[in-house]
Amino acid sequence: MIHLSFSLPEPGSPWRRTWEGAKQGDPAGLAEIDLRYKYFGVNVEMIVGGVEAISKRRFVTLVDLALSLSHAERRISSGEDAAFGFTESEEVIHLRHDGDLIVVTSSKRAWRVSVEREELASSFSRFLREAYSHLTSEIPGLVTNPVIRQMLPE
């Protein structure tokens, strides 16, 4: 079982202001570096097989994580190993094939959990669609941003 979700920070939080800043100017022209590291802070939670892989207390920028998950989803779907990390820390989550399973591990914490490849790929795709939908409903001009369009699962 996989739970992968995000939530917006509480009102008044400095992370909440990262959403307001993106509404200034032309959303279609926002640069990838700004989208990845400056805008759209969220709390993220990922629980895989009862193991908290990403704590719901962790703040990340949504676009950076979504692009990383999009890349990881493509790799695991094509039979390759993958990994994703966080700008805010040195931790890397590794995704390694073991037959039809994906073994999920952390570079910083001592846990190891296995999950079906299709289940992991599906949870990543759902997360990406939800992130895309939330971003483009909050700021409709992002629909034409080429970086945001990369988030969509294929």
Side-chain angles (χ1 to χ4, degrees), residues 29-93:
L30 289 173
E32 181 172 353
I33 195 161
D34 291 335
L35 287 167
R36 279 187 177 265
Y37 307 117
K38 184 176 179 182
Y39 299 123
F40 309 119
V42 293
N43 290 102
V44 172
E45 180 176 47
M46 181 176 174
I47 299 171
V48 182
V51 173
E52 185 182 61
I54 305 173
S55 168
K56 65 182 172 184
R57 295 176 305 280
R58 174 172 260 167
F59 281 97
V60 300
T61 52
L62 182 57
V63 174
D64 188 44
L65 179 61
L67 291 173
S68 295
L69 292 179
S70 177
H71 178 73
E73 190 272 334
R74 283 193 301 274
R75 287 185 60 95
I76 62 171
S77 291
S78 67
E80 300 175 79
D81 293 342
F84 62 94
F86 310 94
T87 302
E88 301 80 12
S89 78
E90 296 175 359
E91 183 178 24
V92 176
I93 304 295

Side-chain angles (χ1 to χ4, degrees), residues 4-149:
L4 177 60
S5 66
F6 69 91
S7 59
L8 271 60
E10 296 295 321
S13 163
W15 286 99
R16 185 62 166 240
R17 289 193 289 274
T18 64
W19 286 78
E20 298 307 315
K23 294 178 181 178
Q24 314 302 316
D26 175 25
L30 289 173
E32 181 172 353
I33 195 161
D34 291 335
L35 287 167
R36 279 187 177 265
Y37 307 117
K38 184 176 179 182
Y39 299 123
F40 309 119
V42 293
N43 290 102
V44 172
E45 180 176 47
M46 181 176 174
I47 299 171
V48 182
V51 173
E52 185 182 61
I54 305 173
S55 168
K56 65 182 172 184
R57 295 176 305 280
R58 174 172 260 167
F59 281 97
V60 300
T61 52
L62 182 57
V63 174
D64 188 44
L65 179 61
L67 291 173
S68 295
L69 292 179
S70 177
H71 178 73
E73 190 272 334
R74 283 193 301 274
R75 287 185 60 95
I76 62 171
S77 291
S78 67
E80 300 175 79
D81 293 342
F84 62 94
F86 310 94
T87 302
E88 301 80 12
S89 78
E90 296 175 359
E91 183 178 24
V92 176
I93 304 295
H94 296 278
L95 310 168
R96 293 190 179 93
H97 280 270
D98 184 12
D100 289 336
L101 298 177
I102 300 293
V103 177
V104 184
T105 59
S106 167
S107 64
K108 289 292 191 181
R109 295 177 287 147
W111 53 261
R112 174 186 172 99
V113 65
S114 296
V115 66
E116 301 244 352
R117 180 179 60 84
E118 285 302 318
E119 183 182 1
L120 185 63
S122 292
S123 72
F124 283 4
S125 291
R126 267 191 312 277
F127 181 91
L128 294 168
R129 284 190 301 275
E130 184 179 331
Y132 179 86
S133 176
H134 195 88
L135 287 164
T136 57
S137 65
E138 185 85 17
I139 304 174
L142 288 173
V143 170
T144 58
N145 187 295
V147 176
I148 299 299
R149 295 175 77 182

